[in-house]
């Protein structure tokens, strides 16, 4: 990797162009690739990337770029970087950057903007990108002078890591050119990665509460994954015989094969987790913001305990007690705080005595739920029950497989079926809930872990928003497997029309092409599956082939999960005579 000499004497500055200063700062940050679509605005910088050893991944739509880097960051722990042409190239990333922001994913958006000589004249592709992105990033950092490019980029990385989210680095397109004198610093010189464990007093109170709890339950979330804290959480759980649930769509936040694991809470989660959590008198929430949507009643079980004392650990003080009142709030790293709590528990309860009765309860709850899942999956479908397809998929997943899930009826039902023994394996759309997430995210995950099989679970509606990136997968040789659940409809919304609108379907049905044939025309492997028993072997073969593959799975469009937003819908009333027949009282 070529690198300019900037480290001769500490504090010594050397001459370079702003483009060189940006690229060398990226090199120092360990950036190995950037995703986006090329544009004239940053072509001077783009020209340097191959020599610097930074791969440019050209996507087909800029929205895909930020989804890719969101997943890349979640799997690798290294902040992803995206770039696009000023104006429409950058605004095309709004949805995916907003998704990364709500997922607390560090990311840097290099945002070329209109040249300074013409700002305010409504020039070609001019847009106030800083204003557009202010609400969906942790910060917008604007380069105010060419000599500040490296400093501003360092600030962007510092905030992205510190506040766990995307940061916009906005640079006028004419600021890539010229000459500056600067020094390229190493990350340890301008940002700190090590996180503290929280206040001693809070940790003491947390350990005391847990030691006296009659029925402690742990909820492990994204912070546990990001901090590599699963072993620390496991130690607490086993010392207390405390069941462990995972937060909504973070099924990899605790190993499912652990006897104390009860599965995910949240929409289409685990009844075992819900029935266990509602018994808790003390809840230890580790690395989770306890989101409103992620703690709503599920399967008509109002499981989140109303009177339990909650201990919440989060790196971001804004998330403490944001949705549920806490007894103890700990602002700290999930792993470090867990280790400190464990030290105190050993002092308070020196001898670990397993609660066999509680362990048996957990085992029985899990067994009942597993039997129910299988029973639901084995009901006949036309042609395939979507739950059966999920069951067959889950059966053949290797232990190191990474699975990305979109939003939608089948993708969300996957929450009940996906089980992981390793962390950084479940990449979900989470609570921003935009469709078109899973496939580009799978590409990013594969870039982070090339030796792991990567599968995307996608509905046919979401696939229409992302299938163009099959060309990217083929061109860049990123062998991911798209499992497209084809039921001919936007079924999450269709279920609302079934339950709340008397089966009046407006905009719900989709006329699809043969997705397998489309994939083959793009240079990928395309396979159509119409029998449930064929799916497992097809997936296993696709994993072995190590080629970009699209599996078009024909599933029943009438076998649907409960409404996604049951909490936000009401039976329709109509006041004008013209619409009286649509009133629920007149059906």
């Amino acid at each position: 990797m070529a690198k300019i000499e900037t480290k001769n004497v500490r504090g010594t500055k050397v001459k370079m162009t702003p483009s060189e200063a940006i690229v060398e700062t990226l090199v120092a940050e360990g950036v190995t690739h950037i995703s986006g679509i090329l544009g004239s605005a940053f072509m001077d910088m783009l020209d340097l990337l191959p020599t610097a050893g930074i791969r440019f991944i050209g996507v087909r739509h800029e929205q895909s770029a930020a989804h890719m880097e969101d997943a890349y960051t979640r799997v690798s722990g290294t902040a992803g970087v995206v770039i696009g042409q000023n104006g429409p190239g950058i605004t095309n990333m709004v949805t995916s950057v907003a998704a990364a922001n709500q997922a607390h994913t560090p990311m840097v958006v290099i945002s070329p903007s209109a040249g300074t000589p013409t700002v305010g004249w409504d020039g070609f592709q001019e847009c106030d990108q800083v204003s557009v992105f202010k609400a969906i990033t942790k910060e917008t950092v604007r380069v105010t002078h060419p000599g500040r490019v490296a400093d501003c980029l360092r600030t962007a990385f510092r905030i992205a890591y510190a506040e766990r989210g995307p940061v916009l680095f906005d640079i006028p397109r004419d600021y890539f050119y010229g000459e500056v004198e600067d020094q390229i610093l190493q990350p340890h010189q301008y940002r700190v990665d090590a996180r503290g464990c929280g206040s001693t007093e809070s940790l003491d109170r947390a350990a005391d509460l847990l030691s006296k709890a009659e029925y402690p339950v742990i909820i492990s979330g994204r912070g546990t994954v990001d901090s590599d804290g699963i072993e620390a959480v496991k130690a607490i759980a086993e010392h207390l015989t405390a069941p462990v649930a995972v937060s909504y769509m973070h099924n990899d936040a605790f190993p499912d094969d652990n006897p104390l694991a009860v599965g995910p809470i949240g929409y289409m989660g685990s009844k075992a987790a819900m029935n266990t959590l509602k018994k808790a008198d003390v809840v230890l929430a580790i690395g989770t913001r306890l989101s409103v949507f992620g703690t709503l009643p599920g399967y008509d079980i109002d499981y989140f305990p109303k009177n339990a004392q909650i201990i919440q650990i989060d790196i971001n003080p804004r998330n403490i007690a944001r949705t549920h009142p806490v007894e103890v709030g700990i602002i700290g790293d999930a792993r470090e705080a867990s280790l400190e709590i464990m030290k105190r528990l050993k002092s308070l309860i020196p001898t670990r005595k397993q609660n066999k009765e509680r362990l048996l309860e957990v085992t029985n709850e899990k067994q009942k739920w597993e039997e129910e899942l299988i029973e639901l999956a084995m009901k006949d479908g036309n042609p395939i029950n979507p739950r059966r397809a999920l069951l067959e998929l889950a059966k053949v997943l290797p232990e190191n497989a990474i699975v990305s899930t979109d939003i939608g009826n089948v993708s969300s039902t996957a929450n009940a079926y996906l089980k992981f023994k390793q962390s950084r394996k479940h990449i979900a759309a989470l609570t921003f809930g935009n469709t078109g997430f899973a496939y580009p995210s799978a590409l990013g995950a594969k870039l982070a872990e090339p030796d792991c099989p990567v599968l995307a679970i996608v509905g046919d509606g979401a696939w229409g928003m992302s299938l163009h990136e099959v060309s990217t997968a083929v061109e860049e040789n990123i062998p991911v497997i798209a499992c497209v659940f084809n039921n001919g409809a936007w079924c999450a919304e269709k279920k609302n029309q079934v339950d709340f609108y008397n089966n009046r379907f407006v905009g719900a049905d989709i006329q699809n092409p043969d997705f397998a044939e489309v994939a083959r025309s793009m240079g990928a492997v395309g396979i159509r599956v119409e029998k449930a028993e064929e799916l497992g072997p097809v997936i296993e073969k696709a994993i072995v082939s190590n080629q970009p593959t699209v599996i078009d799975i024909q599933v029943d469009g009438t076998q649907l999960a409960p409404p996604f937003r049951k909490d936000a819908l009401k039976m329709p009333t109509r006041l004008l005579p013209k619409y009286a027949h649509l009133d629920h009282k007149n059906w």
Side-chain angles (χ1 to χ4, degrees), residues 44 68 82 92 113 162 165 206 262 277 289 352 447 480 510 517 568 582:
D44 190 67
M68 282 175 64
V82 296
N92 273 348
S113 54
V262 290
L277 183 58
R289 60 194 168 101
R352 173 192 162 193
L447 289 172
V480 302
I510 304 170
E517 184 180 342
L582 302 178

mmCIF file with all atom_site columns, all heavy atoms in Angstrom, residues 44 68 82 92 113 162 165 206 262 277 289 352 447 480 510 517 568 582:
data_model
loop_
_atom_site.group_PDB
_atom_site.id
_atom_site.type_symbol
_atom_site.label_atom_id
_atom_site.label_alt_id
_atom_site.label_comp_id
_atom_site.label_asym_id
_atom_site.label_entity_id
_atom_site.label_seq_id
_atom_site.pdbx_PDB_ins_code
_atom_site.Cartn_x
_atom_site.Cartn_y
_atom_site.Cartn_z
_atom_site.occupancy
_atom_site.B_iso_or_equiv
_atom_site.pdbx_formal_charge
_atom_site.auth_seq_id
_atom_site.auth_comp_id
_atom_site.auth_asym_id
_atom_site.auth_atom_id
_atom_site.pdbx_PDB_model_num
ATOM 1   N N   . ASP A 1 44  ? -11.070 13.713  -8.284  1.00 0.00 ? 44  ASP A N   1
ATOM 2   C CA  . ASP A 1 44  ? -9.661  13.900  -7.947  1.00 0.00 ? 44  ASP A CA  1
ATOM 3   C C   . ASP A 1 44  ? -9.250  12.985  -6.799  1.00 0.00 ? 44  ASP A C   1
ATOM 4   O O   . ASP A 1 44  ? -8.160  12.415  -6.796  1.00 0.00 ? 44  ASP A O   1
ATOM 5   C CB  . ASP A 1 44  ? -9.401  15.367  -7.575  1.00 0.00 ? 44  ASP A CB  1
ATOM 6   C CG  . ASP A 1 44  ? -7.914  15.664  -7.452  1.00 0.00 ? 44  ASP A CG  1
ATOM 7   O OD1 . ASP A 1 44  ? -7.216  15.619  -8.484  1.00 0.00 ? 44  ASP A OD1 1
ATOM 8   O OD2 . ASP A 1 44  ? -7.460  15.900  -6.315  1.00 0.00 ? 44  ASP A OD2 1
ATOM 9   N N   . MET A 1 68  ? -25.007 -1.242  2.686   1.00 0.00 ? 68  MET A N   1
ATOM 10  C CA  . MET A 1 68  ? -23.829 -2.111  2.672   1.00 0.00 ? 68  MET A CA  1
ATOM 11  C C   . MET A 1 68  ? -22.891 -1.766  3.821   1.00 0.00 ? 68  MET A C   1
ATOM 12  O O   . MET A 1 68  ? -22.420 -2.637  4.556   1.00 0.00 ? 68  MET A O   1
ATOM 13  C CB  . MET A 1 68  ? -23.075 -1.967  1.344   1.00 0.00 ? 68  MET A CB  1
ATOM 14  C CG  . MET A 1 68  ? -23.683 -2.707  0.174   1.00 0.00 ? 68  MET A CG  1
ATOM 15  S SD  . MET A 1 68  ? -22.795 -2.362  -1.371  1.00 0.00 ? 68  MET A SD  1
ATOM 16  C CE  . MET A 1 68  ? -21.180 -3.047  -1.018  1.00 0.00 ? 68  MET A CE  1
ATOM 17  N N   . VAL A 1 82  ? -19.074 5.927   2.804   1.00 0.00 ? 82  VAL A N   1
ATOM 18  C CA  . VAL A 1 82  ? -19.792 6.014   1.538   1.00 0.00 ? 82  VAL A CA  1
ATOM 19  C C   . VAL A 1 82  ? -19.535 7.380   0.912   1.00 0.00 ? 82  VAL A C   1
ATOM 20  O O   . VAL A 1 82  ? -19.158 8.339   1.585   1.00 0.00 ? 82  VAL A O   1
ATOM 21  C CB  . VAL A 1 82  ? -21.308 5.805   1.723   1.00 0.00 ? 82  VAL A CB  1
ATOM 22  C CG1 . VAL A 1 82  ? -21.599 4.403   2.217   1.00 0.00 ? 82  VAL A CG1 1
ATOM 23  C CG2 . VAL A 1 82  ? -21.898 6.834   2.685   1.00 0.00 ? 82  VAL A CG2 1
ATOM 24  N N   . ASN A 1 92  ? -29.781 10.485  -2.510  1.00 0.00 ? 92  ASN A N   1
ATOM 25  C CA  . ASN A 1 92  ? -30.227 9.106   -2.686  1.00 0.00 ? 92  ASN A CA  1
ATOM 26  C C   . ASN A 1 92  ? -29.907 8.240   -1.460  1.00 0.00 ? 92  ASN A C   1
ATOM 27  O O   . ASN A 1 92  ? -30.457 7.152   -1.299  1.00 0.00 ? 92  ASN A O   1
ATOM 28  C CB  . ASN A 1 92  ? -29.579 8.472   -3.917  1.00 0.00 ? 92  ASN A CB  1
ATOM 29  C CG  . ASN A 1 92  ? -30.361 8.741   -5.186  1.00 0.00 ? 92  ASN A CG  1
ATOM 30  O OD1 . ASN A 1 92  ? -31.491 9.203   -5.152  1.00 0.00 ? 92  ASN A OD1 1
ATOM 31  N ND2 . ASN A 1 92  ? -29.757 8.441   -6.325  1.00 0.00 ? 92  ASN A ND2 1
ATOM 32  N N   . SER A 1 113 ? -20.178 18.730  -2.041  1.00 0.00 ? 113 SER A N   1
ATOM 33  C CA  . SER A 1 113 ? -21.292 19.654  -2.249  1.00 0.00 ? 113 SER A CA  1
ATOM 34  C C   . SER A 1 113 ? -20.916 20.663  -3.336  1.00 0.00 ? 113 SER A C   1
ATOM 35  O O   . SER A 1 113 ? -19.806 20.636  -3.874  1.00 0.00 ? 113 SER A O   1
ATOM 36  C CB  . SER A 1 113 ? -21.653 20.361  -0.938  1.00 0.00 ? 113 SER A CB  1
ATOM 37  O OG  . SER A 1 113 ? -20.519 20.979  -0.362  1.00 0.00 ? 113 SER A OG  1
ATOM 38  N N   . ALA A 1 162 ? -17.785 7.767   18.717  1.00 0.00 ? 162 ALA A N   1
ATOM 39  C CA  . ALA A 1 162 ? -18.162 8.137   20.080  1.00 0.00 ? 162 ALA A CA  1
ATOM 40  C C   . ALA A 1 162 ? -19.673 8.091   20.288  1.00 0.00 ? 162 ALA A C   1
ATOM 41  O O   . ALA A 1 162 ? -20.158 7.624   21.320  1.00 0.00 ? 162 ALA A O   1
ATOM 42  C CB  . ALA A 1 162 ? -17.641 9.531   20.411  1.00 0.00 ? 162 ALA A CB  1
ATOM 43  N N   . GLY A 1 165 ? -23.027 6.330   15.363  1.00 0.00 ? 165 GLY A N   1
ATOM 44  C CA  . GLY A 1 165 ? -23.952 6.646   14.287  1.00 0.00 ? 165 GLY A CA  1
ATOM 45  C C   . GLY A 1 165 ? -23.256 7.311   13.127  1.00 0.00 ? 165 GLY A C   1
ATOM 46  O O   . GLY A 1 165 ? -22.056 7.606   13.182  1.00 0.00 ? 165 GLY A O   1
ATOM 47  N N   . ALA A 1 206 ? -26.377 -1.855  41.287  1.00 0.00 ? 206 ALA A N   1
ATOM 48  C CA  . ALA A 1 206 ? -26.846 -2.884  40.352  1.00 0.00 ? 206 ALA A CA  1
ATOM 49  C C   . ALA A 1 206 ? -26.555 -4.279  40.888  1.00 0.00 ? 206 ALA A C   1
ATOM 50  O O   . ALA A 1 206 ? -27.431 -5.160  40.881  1.00 0.00 ? 206 ALA A O   1
ATOM 51  C CB  . ALA A 1 206 ? -26.183 -2.685  38.993  1.00 0.00 ? 206 ALA A CB  1
ATOM 52  N N   . VAL A 1 262 ? -33.420 -17.689 26.106  1.00 0.00 ? 262 VAL A N   1
ATOM 53  C CA  . VAL A 1 262 ? -34.864 -17.856 25.859  1.00 0.00 ? 262 VAL A CA  1
ATOM 54  C C   . VAL A 1 262 ? -35.315 -17.226 24.544  1.00 0.00 ? 262 VAL A C   1
ATOM 55  O O   . VAL A 1 262 ? -36.478 -17.323 24.178  1.00 0.00 ? 262 VAL A O   1
ATOM 56  C CB  . VAL A 1 262 ? -35.708 -17.300 27.033  1.00 0.00 ? 262 VAL A CB  1
ATOM 57  C CG1 . VAL A 1 262 ? -35.549 -18.174 28.262  1.00 0.00 ? 262 VAL A CG1 1
ATOM 58  C CG2 . VAL A 1 262 ? -35.368 -15.852 27.349  1.00 0.00 ? 262 VAL A CG2 1
ATOM 59  N N   . LEU A 1 277 ? -39.801 -13.258 30.702  1.00 0.00 ? 277 LEU A N   1
ATOM 60  C CA  . LEU A 1 277 ? -39.537 -11.874 31.092  1.00 0.00 ? 277 LEU A CA  1
ATOM 61  C C   . LEU A 1 277 ? -40.647 -11.323 31.989  1.00 0.00 ? 277 LEU A C   1
ATOM 62  O O   . LEU A 1 277 ? -40.380 -10.549 32.917  1.00 0.00 ? 277 LEU A O   1
ATOM 63  C CB  . LEU A 1 277 ? -39.363 -11.006 29.849  1.00 0.00 ? 277 LEU A CB  1
ATOM 64  C CG  . LEU A 1 277 ? -39.015 -9.539  30.069  1.00 0.00 ? 277 LEU A CG  1
ATOM 65  C CD1 . LEU A 1 277 ? -37.728 -9.386  30.879  1.00 0.00 ? 277 LEU A CD1 1
ATOM 66  C CD2 . LEU A 1 277 ? -38.895 -8.803  28.734  1.00 0.00 ? 277 LEU A CD2 1
ATOM 67  N N   . ARG A 1 289 ? -31.474 -0.058  24.171  1.00 0.00 ? 289 ARG A N   1
ATOM 68  C CA  . ARG A 1 289 ? -32.232 1.151   24.507  1.00 0.00 ? 289 ARG A CA  1
ATOM 69  C C   . ARG A 1 289 ? -33.665 0.816   24.891  1.00 0.00 ? 289 ARG A C   1
ATOM 70  O O   . ARG A 1 289 ? -34.458 1.709   25.190  1.00 0.00 ? 289 ARG A O   1
ATOM 71  C CB  . ARG A 1 289 ? -32.208 2.137   23.340  1.00 0.00 ? 289 ARG A CB  1
ATOM 72  C CG  . ARG A 1 289 ? -32.796 1.619   22.055  1.00 0.00 ? 289 ARG A CG  1
ATOM 73  C CD  . ARG A 1 289 ? -32.430 2.501   20.873  1.00 0.00 ? 289 ARG A CD  1
ATOM 74  N NE  . ARG A 1 289 ? -32.764 1.862   19.610  1.00 0.00 ? 289 ARG A NE  1
ATOM 75  C CZ  . ARG A 1 289 ? -33.843 2.143   18.887  1.00 0.00 ? 289 ARG A CZ  1
ATOM 76  N NH1 . ARG A 1 289 ? -34.701 3.053   19.302  1.00 0.00 ? 289 ARG A NH1 1
ATOM 77  N NH2 . ARG A 1 289 ? -34.066 1.531   17.747  1.00 0.00 ? 289 ARG A NH2 1
ATOM 78  N N   . ARG A 1 352 ? -21.543 -20.024 43.657  1.00 0.00 ? 352 ARG A N   1
ATOM 79  C CA  . ARG A 1 352 ? -22.594 -20.116 42.651  1.00 0.00 ? 352 ARG A CA  1
ATOM 80  C C   . ARG A 1 352 ? -23.404 -21.384 42.892  1.00 0.00 ? 352 ARG A C   1
ATOM 81  O O   . ARG A 1 352 ? -22.861 -22.490 42.883  1.00 0.00 ? 352 ARG A O   1
ATOM 82  C CB  . ARG A 1 352 ? -21.966 -20.151 41.256  1.00 0.00 ? 352 ARG A CB  1
ATOM 83  C CG  . ARG A 1 352 ? -22.965 -20.416 40.157  1.00 0.00 ? 352 ARG A CG  1
ATOM 84  C CD  . ARG A 1 352 ? -22.259 -20.727 38.843  1.00 0.00 ? 352 ARG A CD  1
ATOM 85  N NE  . ARG A 1 352 ? -23.163 -21.373 37.917  1.00 0.00 ? 352 ARG A NE  1
ATOM 86  C CZ  . ARG A 1 352 ? -22.791 -21.983 36.800  1.00 0.00 ? 352 ARG A CZ  1
ATOM 87  N NH1 . ARG A 1 352 ? -21.523 -22.033 36.495  1.00 0.00 ? 352 ARG A NH1 1
ATOM 88  N NH2 . ARG A 1 352 ? -23.670 -22.548 36.009  1.00 0.00 ? 352 ARG A NH2 1
ATOM 89  N N   . LEU A 1 447 ? -18.352 -8.524  2.591   1.00 0.00 ? 447 LEU A N   1
ATOM 90  C CA  . LEU A 1 447 ? -17.085 -7.792  2.511   1.00 0.00 ? 447 LEU A CA  1
ATOM 91  C C   . LEU A 1 447 ? -16.349 -7.844  3.839   1.00 0.00 ? 447 LEU A C   1
ATOM 92  O O   . LEU A 1 447 ? -15.117 -7.927  3.880   1.00 0.00 ? 447 LEU A O   1
ATOM 93  C CB  . LEU A 1 447 ? -17.346 -6.334  2.120   1.00 0.00 ? 447 LEU A CB  1
ATOM 94  C CG  . LEU A 1 447 ? -17.798 -6.066  0.678   1.00 0.00 ? 447 LEU A CG  1
ATOM 95  C CD1 . LEU A 1 447 ? -18.193 -4.597  0.523   1.00 0.00 ? 447 LEU A CD1 1
ATOM 96  C CD2 . LEU A 1 447 ? -16.710 -6.428  -0.326  1.00 0.00 ? 447 LEU A CD2 1
ATOM 97  N N   . VAL A 1 480 ? -23.129 -13.698 -2.307  1.00 0.00 ? 480 VAL A N   1
ATOM 98  C CA  . VAL A 1 480 ? -24.168 -13.820 -1.288  1.00 0.00 ? 480 VAL A CA  1
ATOM 99  C C   . VAL A 1 480 ? -25.369 -14.546 -1.881  1.00 0.00 ? 480 VAL A C   1
ATOM 100 O O   . VAL A 1 480 ? -25.529 -14.636 -3.100  1.00 0.00 ? 480 VAL A O   1
ATOM 101 C CB  . VAL A 1 480 ? -24.587 -12.447 -0.723  1.00 0.00 ? 480 VAL A CB  1
ATOM 102 C CG1 . VAL A 1 480 ? -23.403 -11.716 -0.133  1.00 0.00 ? 480 VAL A CG1 1
ATOM 103 C CG2 . VAL A 1 480 ? -25.263 -11.610 -1.792  1.00 0.00 ? 480 VAL A CG2 1
ATOM 104 N N   . ILE A 1 510 ? -48.681 -7.668  -6.180  1.00 0.00 ? 510 ILE A N   1
ATOM 105 C CA  . ILE A 1 510 ? -47.526 -7.389  -7.034  1.00 0.00 ? 510 ILE A CA  1
ATOM 106 C C   . ILE A 1 510 ? -47.466 -8.426  -8.144  1.00 0.00 ? 510 ILE A C   1
ATOM 107 O O   . ILE A 1 510 ? -47.611 -9.625  -7.891  1.00 0.00 ? 510 ILE A O   1
ATOM 108 C CB  . ILE A 1 510 ? -46.195 -7.474  -6.242  1.00 0.00 ? 510 ILE A CB  1
ATOM 109 C CG1 . ILE A 1 510 ? -46.211 -6.544  -5.044  1.00 0.00 ? 510 ILE A CG1 1
ATOM 110 C CG2 . ILE A 1 510 ? -45.005 -7.174  -7.136  1.00 0.00 ? 510 ILE A CG2 1
ATOM 111 C CD1 . ILE A 1 510 ? -45.027 -6.763  -4.112  1.00 0.00 ? 510 ILE A CD1 1
ATOM 112 N N   . GLU A 1 517 ? -34.913 -16.301 -13.327 1.00 0.00 ? 517 GLU A N   1
ATOM 113 C CA  . GLU A 1 517 ? -34.509 -16.000 -14.705 1.00 0.00 ? 517 GLU A CA  1
ATOM 114 C C   . GLU A 1 517 ? -33.838 -14.627 -14.788 1.00 0.00 ? 517 GLU A C   1
ATOM 115 O O   . GLU A 1 517 ? -32.823 -14.450 -15.474 1.00 0.00 ? 517 GLU A O   1
ATOM 116 C CB  . GLU A 1 517 ? -35.735 -16.039 -15.626 1.00 0.00 ? 517 GLU A CB  1
ATOM 117 C CG  . GLU A 1 517 ? -35.399 -15.825 -17.098 1.00 0.00 ? 517 GLU A CG  1
ATOM 118 C CD  . GLU A 1 517 ? -36.632 -15.868 -17.985 1.00 0.00 ? 517 GLU A CD  1
ATOM 119 O OE1 . GLU A 1 517 ? -37.681 -16.384 -17.544 1.00 0.00 ? 517 GLU A OE1 1
ATOM 120 O OE2 . GLU A 1 517 ? -36.539 -15.365 -19.124 1.00 0.00 ? 517 GLU A OE2 1
ATOM 121 N N   . ALA A 1 568 ? -51.227 0.635   16.195  1.00 0.00 ? 568 ALA A N   1
ATOM 122 C CA  . ALA A 1 568 ? -51.437 1.949   15.581  1.00 0.00 ? 568 ALA A CA  1
ATOM 123 C C   . ALA A 1 568 ? -52.606 1.967   14.597  1.00 0.00 ? 568 ALA A C   1
ATOM 124 O O   . ALA A 1 568 ? -52.801 2.946   13.887  1.00 0.00 ? 568 ALA A O   1
ATOM 125 C CB  . ALA A 1 568 ? -50.162 2.385   14.863  1.00 0.00 ? 568 ALA A CB  1
ATOM 126 N N   . LEU A 1 582 ? -68.093 1.432   3.504   1.00 0.00 ? 582 LEU A N   1
ATOM 127 C CA  . LEU A 1 582 ? -66.744 1.084   3.939   1.00 0.00 ? 582 LEU A CA  1
ATOM 128 C C   . LEU A 1 582 ? -66.594 1.124   5.456   1.00 0.00 ? 582 LEU A C   1
ATOM 129 O O   . LEU A 1 582 ? -65.542 0.747   5.979   1.00 0.00 ? 582 LEU A O   1
ATOM 130 C CB  . LEU A 1 582 ? -65.721 2.040   3.302   1.00 0.00 ? 582 LEU A CB  1
ATOM 131 C CG  . LEU A 1 582 ? -65.701 2.091   1.769   1.00 0.00 ? 582 LEU A CG  1
ATOM 132 C CD1 . LEU A 1 582 ? -64.682 3.122   1.296   1.00 0.00 ? 582 LEU A CD1 1
ATOM 133 C CD2 . LEU A 1 582 ? -65.387 0.725   1.178   1.00 0.00 ? 582 LEU A CD2 1
#
